[in-house]
Amino acid sequence: MNTRDWPIRSKLTALVVVPVTALLALWIFATTLTFGPALDLLAARTLLYDLGRPGETVVAELQRERRLSVVHLATDPAGCRRSSADCVLPALQEQRARTDAAVTELRQRVGGDELRDAAGELLEARLERLLTQLAALPSGRESIDRRDVDRVDAVGLYNGILEAAFQTFEALANLPDQDLNREALALTDLGRSRELLGQTDAVLAGALAAGGFAEGEHGMLVRSIGNQWFLAELAVADLPEPDQAAYQRLTEQEAFSRLRAMQDELIAAGPSANPTIDAQAWQTSYDTVQQSLRDFELTQADGLADRSVPMAVQTLVRLAAAGLLGLIAVVVSLVVALRVGRSLAQRLTLVRGTLKETAERRLPDVVDRLRRGEQVDVARETPVADRGADEIGQVAQAFTEVQKVAIQSAMVEVSLRRGLNEVFLNIARRSQGLVHRQLALLDRLERDAEDPDHLAELFRVDHLATRLRRHAEDLVILAGAAPGRGWRNPVAMVDLIRGAISEVESYDRVDITTVQAAGTLGRSVGDIIHLLAELIENATAFSPPDSRVEVSGEHVANGYALSVSDHGLGMNPAAIEEANRKLARSPEFDPTETARLGLFVVARLAARHQVQVRLRPSEGTGLTAVVLIPTELITAEPSPLPEPEAPPTADEEANPQQRRLARATRLTTVPRQRPRSMARPGSTPPDDRDRPSGPPAAYRGGPDQRSAVAAAEDDGLPRRIRRQRPAKPAGPPVAAPTP
């Protein structure tokens, strides 16, 4: 039986229940062992009065009937036929009636439930044997009446019944007390010796009536006398000393002496000699001795029964005291075991619950609060689960110390992380400042450039600086801060997509397919541009160089969905599931996962505006990233910027807010047409696909209307051509983004 995985309450219950159950079983067993003998002592009186006294009466009547039956067989009345039942002696008939009355009384007594409950198996068996022998008595009488048996057989018939009676009396001597049991057996042996004396009387009565011994009678007589003396001496030796003295005084009577002398004379006479003793003297002495011995036995039996009752009561009192003490011990053991077990179980359960709560809820919550920059009281957050001085309290204290060390380690880690974030943020801010200055310088150079080739090179540097700005913003996002770019007014969705494409290295591989008209609130424009740029860059980086990346947008039930699809190798289902899990919960930045920085940036930006990003397999091969912008960030598509009415002077500066929008979104910069040698047959040039209808100056959201995109050169970058500035528009100026 494996108890290793049992709950602690079950283990403690087993430790309590098993010993207490064993102790209770031992108490019940000991009580039963003591209670049984006490009941036997109480039952001894019942057995004596319901079986002993009636049985002894039956024995006495059978002894008298035996003597008369032998005398009947020894006499032959004149004029009486041997087979006639009318020749039975009147005294024998009267004795048979008394015997039948005694047997009937015995049957009534032993048939009661009280005696049957008190009797054991041995006594019941011997009692059934005695009743069977008594049931056969009428058939034996008929044999005697018909004179089918001689005197020796008649004596044997009655001896068998009397032997069954004395065996039943022996079974009564089964008392738990050794002294009482020995005395009961001694009284039974005295009764046997008295029965042997009765056998001697029956044989002698027959011999006297017949005028001599029949064959075998003298030997039976001698054996009966010898066995009588032996049993009497043996039985008296087991009696208590006062009873021995009483028996000794009893045998000193004159009748005992005369009877003993006549027995010696009978033994000395041969089997062929006629008995010479006086029949009247024998009968007188025999009746006196028989009655004296019977009275002595009955007196001793009554005394034995009387002593058994107090002894049984005393045993029951001791049993009650011992049982009560044992029960108290069992109850105390059970109460102590239950209290200790319950205390241990409650303490261990409390320790387990406290430690589990600390490990699963409190400690992670403390770490999250530390990461959010909150102050934490270590002593308050690490309560001691158990303050006992035993091993449980020591274990709880040890776990508390471990928790304190864990929180302190988390504080150190948070401090290091905060310092690392400060380093990232400091470097990013410096890089952002330099990139913004570089973009401002490039903008001035682009406005002053006259050579188209020189302008194309400036555009190339401008594009690299834009990508560098995005990577600098990655550091800001990793540090937990927000990038500095922002817009006050909504921006068209198509312009937002173009702004994201302009920040990708392989922008010429990106196709804008179907984009339903919509606008995005200005506060989220910069972050969504950055988010789309990361996804588009991943799509171009993890797909073949000659494949295309498609971007589309449409209205859905919960907002606006942007899709970025590539035709690369894609990801296996497990990797897609893991990536979606990270995108959904915006995990903390883990410096060990440097290969997944783009995924972390996308998750951070999406969580900032409740934007949902999910990856799924594309049709065929590749991967599709779906960006769901919530409804609260979607507006109607803003109207395009009006055409300027009058161009500014040659040295007039363009609106800096418009220039920042142009650098952020690159709305007037579209991918140039590939050289004819690289164009795919039957495909539409990228600039024709991405450029809206109308002149370039009419692009929505364009920051500067002083240049347009000319034909593509072989290097794949657009070329701007300078032209005169139109008149300043009469409408309201373009809203400036937030710094």
Side-chain angles (χ1 to χ4, degrees):
M1 180 174 57
N2 185 16
T3 59
R4 180 182 182 88
D5 298 330
W6 284 15
I8 189 63
R9 188 178 296 276
S10 299
K11 293 180 180 179
L12 291 175
T13 302
L15 289 176
V16 171
V17 169
V18 172
V20 171
T21 303
L23 181 60
L24 183 61
L26 289 175
W27 174 76
I28 294 174
F29 180 71
T31 304
T32 304
L33 287 181
T34 310
F35 190 69
L39 293 180
D40 292 341
L41 288 173
L42 290 176
R45 188 178 183 87
T46 301
L47 294 176
L48 176 63
Y49 286 103
D50 289 348
L51 177 59
R53 284 297 181 86
E56 195 278 332
T57 303
V58 171
V59 169
E61 298 299 336
L62 286 173
Q63 288 173 347
R64 296 188 184 97
E65 183 177 340
R66 177 181 57 189
R67 183 177 185 278
L68 292 174
S69 297
V70 173
V71 172
H72 168 72
L73 293 174
T75 60
D76 187 9
C80 183
R81 292 176 299 173
R82 297 178 60 87
S83 60
S84 177
D86 297 334
C87 298
V88 178
L89 296 176
L92 179 58
Q93 291 179 351
E94 295 176 359
Q95 180 58 44
R96 286 177 178 176
R98 290 193 294 269
T99 303
D100 291 339
V103 171
T104 302
E105 177 68 18
L106 176 64
R107 289 183 183 276
Q108 292 178 355
R109 291 291 186 92
V110 300
D113 294 336
E114 187 176 357
L115 185 138
R116 292 291 182 178
D117 294 337
E121 295 181 0
L122 179 61
L123 179 59
E124 287 186 358
R126 293 189 177 182
L127 183 58
E128 290 296 331
R129 180 182 174 186
L130 172 61
L131 295 178
T132 303
Q133 293 279 354
L134 291 174
L137 180 60
S139 62
R141 290 173 177 174
E142 291 178 358
S143 299
I144 294 173
D145 293 343
R146 293 193 304 266
R147 299 181 183 273
D148 293 338
V149 296
D150 56 9
R151 298 198 302 269
V152 175
D153 293 336
V155 172
L157 171 64
Y158 285 97
N159 288 349
I161 299 175
L162 293 171
E163 179 61 25
F166 280 103
Q167 288 180 357
T168 304
F169 296 156
E170 263 188 2
L172 290 175
N174 190 22
L175 301 177
D177 186 79
Q178 294 182 357
D179 295 336
L180 292 179
N181 198 52
R182 185 171 61 251
E183 186 174 352
L185 290 175
L187 292 177
T188 303
D189 289 340
L190 281 177
R192 283 180 181 275
S193 68
R194 186 165 57 85
E195 159 59 16
L196 291 173
L197 180 60
Q199 294 179 17
T200 303
D201 176 64
V203 173
L204 182 60
L208 291 174
F213 291 106
E215 184 179 357
E217 287 185 343
H218 188 270
M220 182 185 295
L221 183 80
V222 173
R223 288 193 299 272
S224 298
I225 294 173
N227 291 335
Q228 175 204 346
W229 293 347
F230 174 76
L231 281 178
E233 183 178 358
L234 186 65
V236 172
D238 289 335
L239 291 176
E241 292 184 0
D243 296 338
Q244 291 181 11
Y247 184 81
Q248 185 65 30
R249 290 192 300 269
L250 180 66
T251 57
E252 293 176 354
Q253 295 178 5
E254 183 179 356
F256 281 87
S257 301
R258 288 198 306 266
L259 186 64
R260 183 66 177 269
M262 285 185 285
Q263 287 177 338
D264 292 338
E265 184 179 349
L266 290 173
I267 294 173
S272 60
N274 293 327
T276 59
I277 63 173
D278 185 7
Q280 185 64 33
W282 170 267
Q283 189 65 40
T284 302
S285 300
Y286 170 77
D287 291 341
T288 301
V289 171
Q290 185 77 356
Q291 187 63 39
S292 298
L293 290 176
R294 184 183 178 189
D295 293 341
F296 179 81
E297 293 174 14
L298 293 177
T299 302
Q300 296 299 320
D302 291 340
L304 185 65
D306 293 339
R307 291 200 304 273
S308 66
V309 173
M311 188 174 295
V313 173
Q314 185 179 3
T315 303
L316 289 176
V317 170
R318 291 199 302 265
L319 172 63
L324 182 60
L325 292 177
L327 182 61
I328 292 174
V330 170
V331 172
V332 170
S333 300
L334 182 61
V335 171
V336 171
L338 288 178
R339 288 180 61 88
V340 173
R342 183 181 301 175
S343 175
L344 290 176
Q346 290 178 350
R347 292 177 62 192
L348 290 174
T349 302
L350 179 61
V351 171
R352 182 196 64 178
T354 304
L355 297 180
K356 186 176 181 181
E357 181 187 6
T358 301
E360 295 179 358
R361 188 185 64 81
R362 189 187 298 271
L363 197 57
D365 181 66
V366 169
V367 173
D368 292 341
R369 288 161 54 193
L370 288 173
R371 289 177 178 176
R372 292 195 300 267
E374 299 181 12
Q375 296 295 327
V376 173
D377 187 359
V378 178
R380 181 180 179 182
E381 299 298 337
T382 56
V384 180
D386 190 281
R387 298 185 179 275
D390 56 355
E391 288 79 0
I392 298 177
Q394 294 173 3
V395 170
Q397 185 65 34
F399 272 104
T400 302
E401 296 300 326
V402 170
Q403 295 167 16
K404 290 181 179 180
V405 172
I407 294 178
Q408 292 172 356
S409 300
M411 295 175 66
V412 173
E413 178 187 355
V414 168
S415 299
L416 293 176
R417 186 184 295 269
R418 188 178 296 114
L420 182 62
N421 290 343
E422 293 294 334
V423 171
F424 283 168
L425 189 59
N426 191 7
I427 295 175
R429 293 302 186 194
R430 292 185 181 184
S431 300
Q432 274 188 318
L434 294 176
V435 169
H436 283 300
R437 291 170 60 188
Q438 182 181 8
L439 289 174
L441 178 60
L442 288 173
D443 186 69
R444 289 196 301 270
L445 293 176
E446 289 172 359
R447 290 198 309 271
D448 297 338
E450 298 293 341
D451 185 3
D453 295 333
H454 187 201
L455 183 61
E457 293 298 330
L458 289 176
F459 278 177
R460 183 190 297 273
V461 176
D462 193 326
H463 182 67
L464 293 175
T466 302
R467 289 164 53 201
L468 182 61
R469 178 187 60 189
R470 180 166 60 85
H471 293 314
E473 288 180 354
D474 287 346
L475 290 177
V476 175
I477 295 172
L478 292 176
R485 288 191 295 165
W487 282 260
R488 290 191 180 93
N489 295 333
V491 175
M493 194 65 67
V494 65
D495 296 338
L496 184 146
I497 296 173
R498 286 171 175 164
I501 295 174
S502 70
E503 297 188 2
V504 178
E505 180 178 4
S506 300
Y507 62 89
D508 56 341
R509 291 173 50 201
V510 182
D511 297 336
I512 301 177
T513 59
T514 303
V515 179
Q516 296 180 0
T520 306
L521 294 181
R523 61 184 172 86
S524 62
V525 168
D527 291 338
I528 295 179
I529 289 176
H530 194 149
L531 185 151
L532 283 177
E534 292 288 343
L535 295 176
I536 295 172
E537 186 172 53
N538 282 344
T540 59
F542 294 101
S543 60
D546 58 346
S547 64
R548 309 294 296 176
V549 175
E550 298 176 354
V551 181
S552 63
E554 61 180 348
H555 288 281
V556 292
N558 299 324
Y560 195 90
L562 296 172
S563 300
V564 179
S565 303
D566 62 67
H567 301 282
L569 297 177
M571 300 169 63
N572 59 57
I576 292 177
E577 182 179 358
E578 177 65 19
N580 286 330
R581 185 178 63 82
K582 292 183 178 181
L583 289 172
R585 65 183 179 89
S586 181
E588 291 289 334
F589 171 59
D590 187 359
T592 61
E593 297 185 2
T594 55
R596 300 286 183 177
L597 292 182
L599 192 66
F600 173 80
V601 172
V602 170
R604 271 289 179 86
L605 294 174
R608 185 174 296 163
H609 301 285
Q610 285 75 46
V611 174
Q612 299 180 18
V613 181
R614 190 165 185 84
L615 304 180
R616 67 186 184 191
S618 298
E619 296 181 0
T621 60
L623 201 67
T624 297
V626 179
V627 180
L628 178 61
I629 303 174
T631 305
E632 54 268 18
L633 297 180
I634 302 301
T635 63
E637 185 177 42
S639 59
L641 294 176
E643 193 73 24
E645 295 179 358
T649 59
D651 56 351
E652 183 181 359
E653 291 288 339
N655 190 332
Q657 298 165 348
Q658 292 179 336
R659 290 198 301 274
R660 278 190 292 179
L661 180 62
R663 286 197 300 271
T665 61
R666 308 293 296 160
L667 297 179
T668 58
T669 303
V670 296
R672 292 186 304 158
Q673 183 180 7
R674 294 184 178 183
R676 295 184 181 275
S677 59
M678 300 178 60
R680 292 180 296 177
S683 63
T684 304
D687 55 345
D688 293 337
R689 286 193 304 269
D690 298 339
R691 183 179 298 115
S693 61
Y699 283 7
R700 289 172 290 180
D704 196 346
Q705 309 297 335
R706 294 180 298 164
S707 61
V709 178
E713 292 187 349
D714 294 338
D715 57 2
L717 291 174
R719 177 186 299 277
R720 280 187 179 178
I721 300 176
R722 303 283 296 181
R723 69 181 181 181
Q724 295 296 329
R725 296 176 180 173
K728 182 176 293 188
V734 178
T738 58

